[in-house]
Amino acid sequence: MTSADWIFHGGAIHTMTGRAAAAVAVAAGKIIATDDDVRAVRGPKTEVVNLAGGALLPGFQDAHVHPVPAGLQLTGCDLAAVHGLDDYRALIAAHVRDHPGPGWVLGSGWYGDVFPGGFPDRHELDRLIPDRPAAFLSHDAHGAWVNSAALARAGIGRDTADPHGGAIHRDAAGEPTGMLSDAASDLVMRLVPRPDRAAQEHALRTAQRHLHALGITGWQDAAVGDVFGTPDPFEVYRAAESAGWLTAKVTGALWWDRDAGAEQVERHLARRAETLGGRFRATAIKIMQDGVCENLTAAVLTPYAGNPHLHGPSFLAPEVLAEVVRRLGAERFDVHLHAVGDRAVRECLDAVEASDPGWDHRHQIAHLDLIDPADVPRLRALRVIANLQPLWARLDPVLVETKLPYLTAGQQRMHFAFGTLAAAGAPLAMGSDWPVSSPDPLWGIHTAVNRTAPGADPHARDERAQTEPLLAHERLVVEAALAAYTIGAARASRRDDTTGSLEVGKAADLVMLDADPAAVPAGELSAIRVQATFVDGVPVYGR
């Protein structure tokens, strides 16, 4: 009989199968026994780990994340770790001082609520960087803050038309302010020097190390393509796997170029064929159907508050979206749909319904900031996964100052309706959208359960964000949040056959915690710490 490499006991073991276990044994990267059966596989070289009252879970999985842009942000002029205009000024000034020369000044991670009126302008950057083009992507990558030199380099002036799916913000005189939303940011970002392969690989290594430290063993990269000003990471993932340093299990959602049309399907099929069976698998397609509420580009059923004629654009006409989803489903791609507004959510559900998906698809809608009550039961009926970003569901200054003013009372009642979706039986998965927000699963679980912000979050230090729940009735129970970050996310990534739960025969992808999430007071969930992370029975963090 095979001897175990590891035996875990002495704490709460959440298998995510509906039953607890007293012990788990691991050998050759797989779970080989649970409960009393572990005694028979204990050998002289078995390492026995006492959880000391903590917990063992399947490794967390992030169902919607952008690791390469996040890694680049961590290694560049990163504004995401602070939250204040003076802090931004200090970081930018230091970066310019440390990186002299005539080239571009690049950064990311700013939050709109830091600026008067919710948006930055070129004059602020002009004072800091008067003689070099500069561009800073917002924390959610839906906007770019640029200076006058960058506007001039891109040829953007008062007569420049807004591109489809984007907006050039203008002052009262009609002049560009230096804030570019969604597709308008491409007018500048396409001119920016691209990170080379070495920089991308360093970014992926940095991101992977950070994610493993948070207990994450796998993820779905929600934009594998040439997007967001970052080169396509496809070959970076393949090279990492070939070289043996890709330790995470990654599902790639290949980017759907809405301007390219159906001819891109063949390229996506070829890419999927190149990656089947490995740690990196490109089995999904990412489609953006709208933008975000903060800049009024989310597609909504009811006009935005104070804007009686503004509903936000559908990035793909509904009939085009339906045909794309049908074609991709026929090729057995899982479709990962970005939909923030309730109209976009409905258009995505309509597209799935029209495609007659009679197979075991993993179609999913990411974000679902708003949903019409009539569409809630359709997710379960159509087996569409609600891919949620729980850390957003709190009354932080970003939400209160730059989003809620645009939402009607009716829209606000169905805002991040996690509890409503769960009660209706919608399949749930969770992710972070990092670098949009922190990838810490325990912070996400904290917010999903409490509807308030973690105490250590620099973007939600005010008392209201940490004490007043956003729609308290939409809280999830902790078990549902844990499931969404483990077996639910594994299902969304089409890896639930081998990961996401602690069962004999499945991969030993594990996270050890210093406390049991199901036992601590709800307000202390974000204080739980990861002690160790394992992938295929090999420690990748903490041991």
Side-chain angles (χ1 to χ4, degrees):
M1 182 177 291
T2 301
S3 293
D5 299 321
W6 302 87
I7 290 177
F8 301 88
H9 74 105
I13 298 179
H14 296 279
T15 66
M16 311 318 296
T17 65
R19 53 174 289 275
V24 167
V26 171
K30 296 188 181 295
I31 296 170
I32 61 168
T34 62
D35 296 316
D36 291 342
D37 293 342
V38 304
R39 296 173 182 169
V41 296
R42 180 171 178 173
K45 296 184 178 180
T46 300
E47 184 162 352
V48 179
V49 178
N50 189 333
L51 298 171
L56 184 75
L57 288 83
F60 295 127
Q61 299 190 35
D62 193 315
H64 185 107
V65 66
H66 307 282
V68 173
L72 289 168
Q73 178 171 305
L74 287 175
T75 57
C77 186
D78 181 15
L79 304 182
V82 298
H83 200 93
L85 187 51
D86 286 341
D87 291 327
Y88 290 177
R89 290 168 178 152
L91 286 173
I92 293 169
H95 183 81
V96 172
R97 183 180 62 250
D98 294 342
H99 299 82
W104 284 80
V105 178
L106 303 173
S108 55
W110 56 265
Y111 280 69
D113 68 289
V114 165
F115 302 94
F119 297 111
D121 66 58
R122 58 188 166 88
H123 301 298
E124 183 68 51
L125 269 187
D126 288 347
R127 285 189 287 271
L128 293 165
I129 312 167
D131 53 357
R132 299 167 62 183
F136 286 74
L137 285 175
S138 61
H139 75 102
D140 61 5
H142 285 277
W145 172 26
V146 304
N147 67 354
S148 295
L151 290 171
R153 186 76 63 94
I156 299 173
R158 63 180 300 132
D159 297 323
T160 306
D162 289 351
H164 177 67
I168 301 168
H169 293 232
R170 305 171 196 272
D171 62 21
E175 296 292 339
T177 64
M179 170 65 195
L180 306 172
S181 293
D182 286 304
S185 65
D186 294 338
L187 301 175
V188 167
M189 298 309 297
R190 68 191 179 193
L191 305 177
V192 167
R194 316 276 276 174
D196 60 17
R197 172 62 72 82
Q200 286 184 279
E201 290 186 357
H202 179 62
L204 181 56
R205 286 180 184 270
T206 300
Q208 178 175 252
R209 186 165 54 249
H210 185 61
L211 293 168
H212 283 336
L214 298 173
I216 294 170
T217 57
W219 61 77
Q220 185 167 173
D221 189 318
V224 177
D226 195 348
V227 293
F228 303 136
T230 305
D232 186 346
F234 183 84
E235 294 298 340
V236 177
Y237 277 118
R238 294 196 68 206
E241 181 171 11
S242 178
W245 59 265
L246 182 66
T247 47
K249 296 172 182 176
V250 181
T251 295
L254 301 172
W255 184 259
W256 184 263
D257 182 348
R258 57 182 177 267
D259 297 321
E263 62 269 17
Q264 63 192 291
V265 173
E266 293 303 320
R267 178 170 181 261
H268 291 328
L269 285 167
R271 287 188 140 195
R272 182 175 66 181
E274 292 174 11
T275 63
L276 290 178
R279 288 204 171 189
F280 173 60
R281 304 175 185 174
T283 56
I285 302 290
K286 170 67 175 297
I287 299 175
M288 291 272 292
Q289 184 56 9
D290 69 346
V292 295
C293 297
E294 288 85 343
N295 60 26
L296 310 182
T297 58
V300 293
L301 293 166
T302 303
Y304 286 102
N307 296 270
H309 304 294
L310 191 59
H311 292 78
S314 298
F315 288 178
L316 290 175
E319 63 274 12
V320 173
L321 177 65
E323 175 55 26
V324 170
V325 172
R326 185 204 65 76
R327 173 70 191 281
L328 294 173
E331 299 291 355
R332 296 302 186 258
F333 277 111
D334 299 318
V335 183
H336 188 131
L337 296 143
H338 167 117
V340 166
D342 48 12
R343 192 179 86 245
V345 170
R346 176 168 294 177
E347 289 167 351
C348 291
L349 291 170
D350 289 347
V352 172
E353 187 170 33
S355 71
D356 189 26
W359 59 290
D360 181 27
H361 69 83
R362 309 301 167 86
H363 297 337
Q364 55 206 272
I365 300 176
H367 311 318
L368 296 104
D369 292 31
L370 307 174
I371 187 169
D372 188 271
D375 291 319
V376 169
R378 299 179 68 196
L379 281 91
R380 178 182 180 182
L382 296 171
R383 294 174 291 115
V384 171
I385 299 165
N387 188 325
L388 307 174
Q389 285 59 62
L391 196 58
W392 302 351
R394 78 278 181 94
L395 286 166
D396 60 33
V398 179
L399 186 94
V400 172
E401 297 175 21
T402 69
K403 185 179 185 182
L404 291 186
Y406 296 123
L407 302 183
T408 67
Q411 290 166 339
Q412 291 190 34
R413 283 194 293 271
M414 295 300 292
H415 191 203
F416 298 126
F418 302 165
T420 296
L421 288 165
L428 303 184
M430 286 185 178
S432 64
D433 209 8
W434 187 48
V436 174
S437 46
S438 167
D440 190 333
L442 290 162
W443 280 20
I445 290 165
H446 176 104
T447 305
V449 172
N450 293 284
R451 305 287 287 200
T452 56
D457 191 335
H459 307 296
R461 290 278 171 83
D462 63 307
E463 182 179 359
R464 185 181 186 191
Q466 297 193 14
T467 61
E468 182 182 340
L470 171 67
L471 302 178
H473 64 280
E474 294 292 357
R475 291 175 171 132
L476 291 179
V477 296
V478 68
E479 291 80 6
L482 290 172
Y485 257 117
T486 52
I487 189 64
R491 185 172 182 276
S493 293
R494 193 171 285 279
R495 290 185 178 269
D496 52 317
D497 56 335
T498 58
T499 70
S501 59
L502 304 184
E503 300 177 74
V504 172
K506 281 198 168 185
D509 296 351
L510 314 169
V511 58
M512 285 175 51
L513 305 177
D514 67 356
D516 178 9
V520 302
E524 298 177 10
L525 283 165
S526 66
I528 295 174
R529 294 292 175 262
V530 172
Q531 294 185 312
T533 308
F534 296 77
V535 177
D536 289 333
V538 176
V540 293
Y541 171 75
R543 294 190 72 89

